[in-house]
Amino acid sequence: MTQTKHRTLWSVFALVLVLAVVSTAAADTAFSFRGGITWNTTPEQMLAAEGVTSDGYTQQEENGHSFFYIKGKNAFYVYRDQQLLQAYTTQSADAYAGLLESRTAQLGAPVAFSADQISALINALNGAGTMIPQEITNLAAWYMPDGTLAALFMLGGKVCMTYFNEQAIAGGR
């Protein structure tokens, strides 16, 4: 084999390897919550993935949205019809540092995002005026490759790790 053909084969191999690594990294940072729940997961599929029966969750209708709380797991889901708009968990305040470290390792450095913006998203789901920006502290946010907004913050002495399907919230799908 000539030296030129050898270099060309190595170049192609290197390119394929780089593309494989990049696609794997992007796949690892696309929204997937708990038991593989994605933005396309229906409420029925979410409940099945959580492994709960009718007494394992509560559902409340408010402001045109369905709010699901998975009992004993501190997991929450917000739907408009069959469209998942938000998924989040709450934990004790001492979980903040570990979550910040793990999300930064997974998603990179946080992006500039304000408590006003988080408050606006929450108010779009819960109704105007239900969340004031001053209640949100220690905010860190990341945009995932699929457009998901991941936000970590403190609220009322609890840590919230929340994921917003921002385009569906704003677009009204």
Side-chain angles (χ1 to χ4, degrees), residues 1-154:
M1 189 178 288
T2 66
Q3 191 173 5
T4 304
K5 285 183 182 177
H6 188 71
R7 282 189 188 144
T8 303
L9 284 175
W10 276 110
S11 296
V12 170
F13 174 73
L15 179 60
V16 168
L17 184 61
V18 166
L19 290 174
V21 168
V22 169
S23 349
T24 301
D28 288 346
T29 55
F31 173 73
S32 180
F33 190 71
R34 298 168 58 84
I37 294 163
T38 69
W39 295 129
N40 296 321
T41 303
T42 66
E44 295 77 19
Q45 293 167 331
M46 175 271 296
L47 293 170
E50 285 286 357
V52 296
T53 59
S54 60
D55 61 344
Y57 72 95
T58 59
Q59 180 180 351
Q60 182 177 335
E61 303 297 321
E62 233 177 89
N63 197 38
H65 300 99
S66 297
F67 294 80
F68 292 85
Y69 167 65
I70 308 303
K71 296 177 183 176
K73 296 184 180 185
N74 290 329
F76 302 83
Y77 298 89
V78 180
Y79 280 86
R80 181 185 310 115
D81 299 321
Q82 298 290 302
Q83 176 68 63
L84 181 58
L85 303 174
Q86 180 187 20
Y88 65 100
T89 59
T90 60
Q91 298 178 40
S92 65
D94 59 353
Y96 183 85
L99 283 169
L100 178 61
E101 183 179 326
S102 69
R103 291 304 174 264
T104 301
Q106 178 188 19
L107 302 171
V111 298
F113 213 83
S114 73
D116 288 329
Q117 292 168 294
I118 294 293
S119 178
L121 286 167
I122 293 171
N123 286 333
L125 298 171
N126 296 339
T130 56
M131 172 67 62
I132 58 171
Q134 294 78 7
E135 295 175 312
I136 298 169
T137 62
N138 297 12
L139 173 63
W142 301 265
Y143 272 110
M144 298 170 70
D146 67 352
T148 296
L149 172 64
L152 173 66
F153 54 90
M154 297 287 297

